[in-house]
Amino acid sequence: MSRSRQPPLVTGISPNEGIPWTKVTIRGENLGTGPTDLVGLTICGHNCLLTAEWMSASKIVCRVGQAKNDKGDIIVTTKSGGRGTSTVSFKLLKPEKIGILDQSAVWVDEMNYYDMRTDRNKGIPPLSLRPANPLGIEIEKSKFSQKDLEMLFHGMSADFTSENFSAAWYLIENHSNTSFEQLKMAVTNLKRQANKKSEGSLAYVKGGLSTFFEAQDALSAIHQKLEADGTEKVEGSMTQKLENVLNRASNTADTLFQEVLGRKDKADSTRNALNVLQRFKFLFNLPLNIERNIQKGDYDVVINDYEKAKSLFGKTEVQVFKKYYAEVETRIEALRELLLDKLLETPSTLHDQKRYIRYLSDLHAPGDPAWQCIGAQHKWILQLMHSCKEGYVKDLKGNPGLHSPMLDLDNDTRPSVLGHLSQTASLKRGSSFQSGRDDTWRYKTPHRVAFVEKLTKLVLSQLPNFWKLWISYVNGSLFSETAEKSGQIERSKNVRQRQNDFKKMIQEVMHSLVKLTRGALLPLSIRDGEAKQYGGWEVKCELSGQWLAHAIQTVRLTHESLTALEIPNDLLQTIQDLILDLRVRCVMATLQHTAEEIKRLAEKEDWIVDNEGLTSLPCQFEQCIVCSLQSLKGVLECKPGEASVFQQPKTQEEVCQLSINIMQVFIYCLEQLSTKPDADIDTTHLSVDVSSPDLFGSIHEDFSLTSEQRLLIVLSNCCYLERHTFLNIAEHFEKHNFQGIEKITQVSMASLKELDQRLFENYIELKADPIVGSLEPGIYAGYFDWKDCLPPTGVRNYLKEALVNIIAVHAEVFTISKELVPRVLSKVIEAVSEELSRLMQCVSSFSKNGALQARLEICALRDTVAVYLTPESKSSFKQALEALPQLSSGADKKLLEELLNKFKSSMHLQLTCFQAASSTMMKT
């Protein structure tokens, strides 16, 4: 069947753009012969047939619906013409959301709005669609806490829809970092919005004029309908007539049944009263039931019954109910007092405390039972701490040798800090305290150390529950759900007011813990006025460094346990200060004890010399210091949050001085050993190392050291100390972060060198003076005269005796230490050469034979000890030779050479010691 008309053609649309549901007028050609001929209408791809209203073949009115396309054609489809075309298009605009405070000319459809922040299809009420950014600039959240802002703007709000809106709060919270230029833009945006609202409703009426006409038409239609239904005007309008009829019917019914209804009401009242009495008979038995349940401890049942009775009869006007309810209140008041007494009893578990607080909260007890419990617990902890101290002090006075086990918590076999934390730390310490320890160890523990362990254990057993009780008080978990809702605001005020009070409680506990510990371990660090309260130990001896280190470990574990409770660090700062003072005192005590031990090293000197000329004393000295520093390793190590022991200049100076004192004490020991009388030396155990060469035979069992040999041994030890031991000790000091190591080394080296020089001069004096003193008598023995003497036949005996004495010195020094030989012999030869030069210069004149004899003896001595000559001794020999007449003939020179060779040949064996040393470098 062919169509009889042309296809529809849309040539215009008004308006040509708009938001969804905009009413538009479509104009064109062949738009249908009637409403029934119109079978399709789409705008931007959306079917608008349901809202279409056919006016004529050239006009259709409809509303634009929701469409996916922003712009599209208008397609009309009719039965007679089929699917049409369009020469125009319609632009679909995105609708703007109308806020709750914005004016609108049309009714806003309260559809489901979508929360774009969470991207969830969740319906929210229109009241939540407030503008997110009223200033129209970027929001930059500040770092100020909400709590601080609430305290600063008390009673105000940052919500701009609130009656108590504070602009300053809003700006601080959302625009604290916004520049001034952006704030000026925000002011412009606000002015623009204000001007837009001040235009009045005229603009909205213009935009929705068609809506007003439609509303007017609807109201007129309703009015005409009512007028048509109420054509018979009887006593007014139709509604007024209906009201009059109903009123007459009601009055007639009341007149007919008034007496019957009165009797019925009375019977119903009686019946209801009996039903109420039967229903609430538990009220009459409630006082007795409350007493029984209290005796059984069923407080929950009592509280439930009380809440039920209170809700039913709390505001009753019935006298009988009032009387029994008063009895119930009396029993409940007694229960409140009972629960409060149980709550304040000590000791008590945290579970019981929370339970009693919830009961009192449910019973609406007056005051703040939870805070009363916190106060009672605080006093109990302080009382326990002071009682612990008094018990140990009393036990110390009664039995000073042992500490009493009566005060030990849980009957521990040894004092320790609580829990797995202390056990793990004690295993990591690796010190002598945990090895080889038996049941008797605890009785060897000093009272003060045992007290500190007991005190810290007591605090760690009580303070966690005390802290958790406060946390529960703050977050409201102490109270039941109903009590929490009813008293939440009041409690939040109490918490803010009592935060400082609780902080003072914790500070007082920490203060007592630190003061009691100081009174026991550092009595000099507390003031005289506090000595009686926190001290009173009356001990004469100081604690050793080992026990102080053990106490430091105990206090450190206590600090770690308290930190694990998330107690603020400022409340624990006093413990950190205590740990630092204990560490400093431990270092001082250990160094002082080390000095005392080194004083006793002189008693351990065995005088056994090894092949290097050393005894065991330097090694013992170094080992003693190394052991002391090793015992301080854990003390010097800084745990998290701890400061260095050497941070204070005063401490650095004291430690440096003690370290110098240790070195000087040992130097003094060496000096004492070198000057000790022979009778005080125990030589029954003396021996010489088998590897040490013995040029003059074995040392017999009855051999005793002479003072010269002791001087040599001490000199040998001094040399080793200077080259090795003191440098090693400085490295150990540096390894343990000691300060002032250069000063320690310089002062110690200076003292050591001073002692070495003094002892060396003493030894040279002992050995050189006899040899020097024998020269002049030997030269002039037998009335020898340089002016009148026979021709020389060889070196005279006095010089040979001097050489033999020098060889004896060589043998003695070589037996003790090879390294000391050049140093000693060079000084001895300097003295001999100086004396020989003096004697030659004192001779007034020489004969030819005398000059030859003198030259022979001087050259023989010089050539023999040539390897040990020093610039001073060479100068002396030169001056001696210059005092002699020069040899004039070659025969004299030849004779001198022959006599020298003869001397060296005859004493070859004796002079071997000087030849053996010729390959070594001489030390001055």
Side-chain angles (χ1 to χ4, degrees), residues 609-625:
V609 182
D610 60 10
N611 59 349
E612 295 183 0
L614 304 174
T615 65
S616 61
L617 200 61
C619 183
Q620 292 180 12
F621 169 62
E622 182 178 353
Q623 190 64 30
C624 182
I625 292 182

Side-chain angles (χ1 to χ4, degrees), residues 697-708:
S698 302
I699 296 180
H700 301 288
E701 294 181 359
D702 58 350
F703 176 79
S704 60
L705 291 175
T706 63
S707 59
E708 292 88 347

Side-chain angles (χ1 to χ4, degrees), residues 100 107-113 124-127 129:
I100 58 175
W107 181 260
V108 179
D109 186 11
E110 295 185 3
M111 66 182 75
N112 285 336
Y113 291 92
I124 58 176
L127 286 177
L129 294 176

Side-chain angles (χ1 to χ4, degrees), residues 280-296 298 301-303 305-306 309-310 313 320-335:
F280 295 102
K281 65 179 180 180
F282 85 98
L283 179 63
F284 301 102
N285 299 326
L286 189 55
L288 181 60
N289 291 336
I290 288 176
E291 291 183 357
R292 291 176 178 175
N293 291 325
I294 289 175
Q295 293 177 358
K296 292 188 295 184
D298 293 338
V301 177
V302 175
I303 293 173
D305 290 346
Y306 172 67
K310 184 178 181 180
F313 304 103
V320 176
F321 290 170
K322 281 186 177 181
K323 179 179 179 181
Y324 277 91
Y325 184 74
E327 289 293 327
V328 171
E329 286 289 358
T330 302
R331 303 297 195 279
I332 293 299
E333 184 61 31
L335 176 60

